[in-house]
């Protein structure tokens, strides 16, 4: 087994990118958004975490989450979220012999990208990255037009203005 270098910080706040195995032309995550939401909800019941930011794109997702004090096991959370999602959708994907022998579905990339948030500036940079991603990928003109994002909740809380990143460069600085 590979020895991956992971940043283990009990109670840490992390940025994640989680990708589908087949990304090109794949809209599986938004097509089954309710299944994904339910998978996250179920996992949070037994393995709690705070969602600071989350965006679901057709073929991948980004989020900033915070683990409970003393907890370092983000890997089990992702394993369970992926598993719950995979078990709840129809089997239509092609599977490699390797995945078949491991009893895996051919839905998710096995790994994910994680980054331990180091300070407040890093936190805000990753929050912005999460929320601007649909615009960055050309899915919408304005961030507020993408429905699968915590951006809308944060607008309601007064964290972001609704027009943030709507094509106006001066709108990006929302914390002053």
């Amino acid at each position: 087994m590979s020895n991956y270098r992971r940043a283990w910080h009990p109670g840490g706040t992390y940025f994640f990118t989680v990708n589908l195995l087949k990304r090109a032309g794949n809209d599986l995550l938004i097509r089954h958004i309710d299944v994904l939401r339910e998978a996250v909800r179920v996992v949070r019941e037994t393995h709690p975490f705070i969602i600071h930011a989350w965006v679901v794109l057709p073929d991948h997702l980004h989020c900033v989450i915070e683990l409970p004090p003393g907890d370092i096991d983000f890997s089990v959370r992702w394993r369970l979220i992926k598993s719950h999602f995979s078990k709840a959708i129809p089997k239509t994907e092609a599977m490699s012999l390797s995945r078949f022998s491991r009893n895996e579905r051919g839905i998710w990339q096995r790994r994910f990208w994680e980054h331990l948030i180091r300070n407040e500036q890093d936190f805000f940079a990753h929050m912005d990255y999460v929320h601007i991603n649909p615009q960055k990928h050309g899915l919408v003109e304005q961030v507020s037009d993408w429905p699968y994002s915590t951006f809308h909740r944060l607008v309601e809380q007064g964290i972001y203005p609704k027009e943030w990143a709507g094509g106006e460069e001066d709108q990006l600085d929302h914390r002053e």
Side-chain angles (χ1 to χ4, degrees), residues 40-57:
V40 171
R41 187 195 66 72
V42 166
V43 172
R44 286 179 74 192
E45 285 180 359
T46 57
H47 296 81
F49 57 92
I50 297 168
I51 297 172
H52 291 288
W54 199 294
V55 68
V56 178
L57 292 101

Side-chain angles (χ1 to χ4, degrees), residues 44-176:
R44 286 179 74 192
E45 285 180 359
T46 57
H47 296 81
F49 57 92
I50 297 168
I51 297 172
H52 291 288
W54 199 294
V55 68
V56 178
L57 292 101
D59 60 358
H60 68 287
L61 64 86
H62 299 288
C63 63
V64 175
I65 66 170
E66 181 180 340
L67 299 179
D71 194 334
I72 61 171
D73 207 351
F74 51 76
S75 291
V76 74
R77 288 165 172 84
W78 285 117
R79 181 180 53 79
L80 291 170
I81 290 168
K82 289 176 175 183
S83 176
H84 281 282
F85 179 84
S86 298
K87 287 176 182 175
I89 63 171
K91 290 183 180 183
T92 59
E93 75 280 0
M95 286 196 305
S96 69
L97 185 56
S98 170
R99 287 189 182 270
F100 183 78
S101 67
R102 293 178 188 213
N103 200 26
E104 294 177 358
R105 298 277 307 266
I107 297 173
W108 299 99
Q109 289 183 9
R110 288 187 179 133
R111 310 290 180 240
F112 51 81
W113 167 260
E114 110 274 344
H115 167 79
L116 175 63
I117 301 296
R118 299 178 309 270
N119 54 40
E120 187 175 344
Q121 181 181 0
D122 194 28
F123 176 80
F124 287 125
H126 283 86
M127 292 287 288
D128 289 352
Y129 181 83
V130 166
H131 293 114
I132 205 163
N133 221 255
Q135 185 183 43
K136 175 186 159 216
H137 285 283
L139 298 168
V140 291
E141 297 262 334
Q142 295 187 24
V143 171
S144 61
D145 292 338
W146 189 251
Y148 314 114
S149 172
T150 53
F151 178 76
H152 307 285
R153 181 187 68 186
L154 296 171
V155 167
E156 289 173 7
Q157 294 173 356
I159 307 292
Y160 286 96
K162 186 174 188 287
E163 303 78 26
W164 181 81
E168 301 293 327
E169 290 294 325
D170 61 339
Q171 291 292 324
L172 286 176
D173 192 5
H174 61 278
R175 285 177 287 284
E176 291 187 337

